[in-house]
Amino acid sequence: MFFNQKKADAPSLEEIQSIVRDASLNHIAFIMDGNGRWANRKGLPREAGHGVGVKTFKKTVTRCRDFGISTVTTYAFSTENWKRPKVEVREIMRLLDEYIKEARDDNEKNRIRYIFLGDKERLGPELLEKCEFLEELTKDNPLTLNVALNYGGRDEIVRCVNRLIAEGRTEITEEDISNGLYTKESPDPDLIVRTGGEFRLSNFLLWQSQYSELYFTDCLWPDFDEEELVRAIMEFSQRKRRFGGV
């Protein structure tokens, strides 16, 4: 654990909580990139990296909660990820199914509210039912965890606009769209962290990221630890957010 390391300049948990409050860091989103490359570098099949990535995901969400961050969003599976090798997709879906069961069993301990963003119909009826059950079970929990699953930012906006048109709207406002997105119950992300050394959003939260601060790191997702998370938070706390002002 980072806070147990003997580093003279390592901030304490209380100091990080204070930084999070002072910087108004309420919502952090993660593009969890690099699982496959991490596995390949170790001579393992790509799907092996996703299992390690899930462990990193769990630890990261827990520490965000400890730091006082109220909303976390993770990019678990995009609309484009279906193009990946079938064996890799099957393993991701297996890990998702396993994680949902664990989240259900640990609900009283973790107190996490789960919201699945994206078109869940393609996941199949059994997995869809499990997602919806977990959402209902956890709806009153304090920490919101948005899991973007079969999600694409452009697809989200198109679906929202088409719903509004189907309702008979002849004029659509920004507020209409914001209130019709999958993330309508969450504030826009303050900080988006992407691991893996790439410098793009990859169709993630395109509408919601209008004034998000972006943080990129070469660290592959399975290696993203508490120290890396603290580094991202510290960087965010130094940014000057003007939201279009001066």
Side-chain angles (χ1 to χ4, degrees):
M1 295 293 290
F2 180 52
F3 291 108
N4 292 332
Q5 295 175 353
K6 294 181 179 179
K7 289 187 176 181
D9 58 345
S12 67
L13 175 58
E14 292 74 18
E15 287 171 331
I16 291 296
Q17 291 170 338
S18 178
I19 291 169
V20 166
R21 285 194 303 271
D22 292 344
S24 297
L25 178 51
N26 301 305
H27 181 180
I28 183 169
F30 295 95
I31 301 176
M32 305 180 293
D33 193 18
N35 289 335
R37 281 175 286 157
W38 181 90
N40 288 339
R41 290 179 185 180
K42 295 183 177 298
L44 302 170
R46 284 181 54 85
E47 55 270 21
H50 295 296
V52 181
V54 169
K55 294 178 181 178
T56 299
F57 159 70
K58 293 177 186 176
K59 293 176 183 177
T60 302
V61 172
T62 297
R63 293 318 275 166
C64 284
R65 178 185 60 196
D66 294 343
F67 293 158
I69 297 167
S70 59
T71 303
V72 177
T73 299
T74 60
Y75 206 4
F77 193 84
S78 76
T79 50
E80 292 80 21
N81 285 158
W82 296 104
K83 302 173 186 176
R84 294 189 174 191
K86 291 183 178 179
V87 63
E88 184 177 350
V89 173
R90 282 197 301 269
E91 177 63 9
I92 291 172
M93 293 302 154
R94 186 193 69 78
L95 288 168
L96 173 64
D97 186 79
E98 185 178 272
Y99 178 73
I100 289 174
K101 180 181 183 302
E102 181 179 313
R104 181 194 66 201
D105 294 343
D106 292 341
N107 176 45
E108 291 301 320
K109 178 179 71 174
N110 292 332
R111 307 299 296 162
I112 296 173
R113 180 190 185 189
Y114 292 88
I115 299 176
F116 293 93
L117 316 179
D119 177 15
K120 299 187 287 292
E121 295 291 337
R122 188 170 178 181
L123 303 177
E126 185 175 346
L127 193 51
L128 171 62
E129 182 179 357
K130 291 178 180 179
C131 288
E132 291 178 343
F133 177 83
L134 186 61
E135 287 180 326
E136 178 64 24
L137 176 68
T138 64
K139 64 182 181 181
D140 296 322
N141 289 344
L143 169 67
T144 296
L145 173 58
N146 297 311
V147 181
L149 191 60
N150 192 29
Y151 172 89
R154 288 189 174 187
D155 178 72
E156 177 182 32
I157 296 169
V158 169
R159 286 173 178 271
C160 174
V161 172
N162 282 333
R163 280 197 304 270
L164 292 168
I165 292 172
E167 292 171 3
R169 303 290 186 92
T170 57
E171 184 174 336
I172 297 171
T173 67
E174 289 189 15
E175 184 178 10
D176 291 331
I177 295 177
S178 293
N179 291 335
L181 298 177
Y182 296 124
T183 55
K184 59 183 178 292
E185 296 185 58
S186 297
D188 289 342
D190 300 299
L191 172 64
I192 297 178
V193 174
R194 178 166 188 154
T195 61
E198 304 292 353
F199 296 87
R200 55 179 177 268
L201 288 177
S202 296
N203 204 16
F204 181 56
L205 301 181
L206 298 182
W207 181 274
Q208 301 89 331
S209 62
Q210 178 184 18
Y211 282 111
S212 301
E213 296 294 323
L214 308 180
Y215 178 86
F216 301 98
T217 174
D218 290 335
C219 177
L220 301 178
W221 179 251
D223 293 325
F224 189 83
D225 58 11
E226 197 165 289
E227 186 171 359
E228 288 284 346
L229 175 60
V230 169
R231 188 174 291 118
I233 292 171
M234 296 295 287
E235 169 71 19
F236 174 82
S237 72
Q238 300 302 311
R239 304 278 180 92
K240 303 298 182 182
R241 307 186 74 195
R242 299 181 178 88
F243 300 97
V246 294

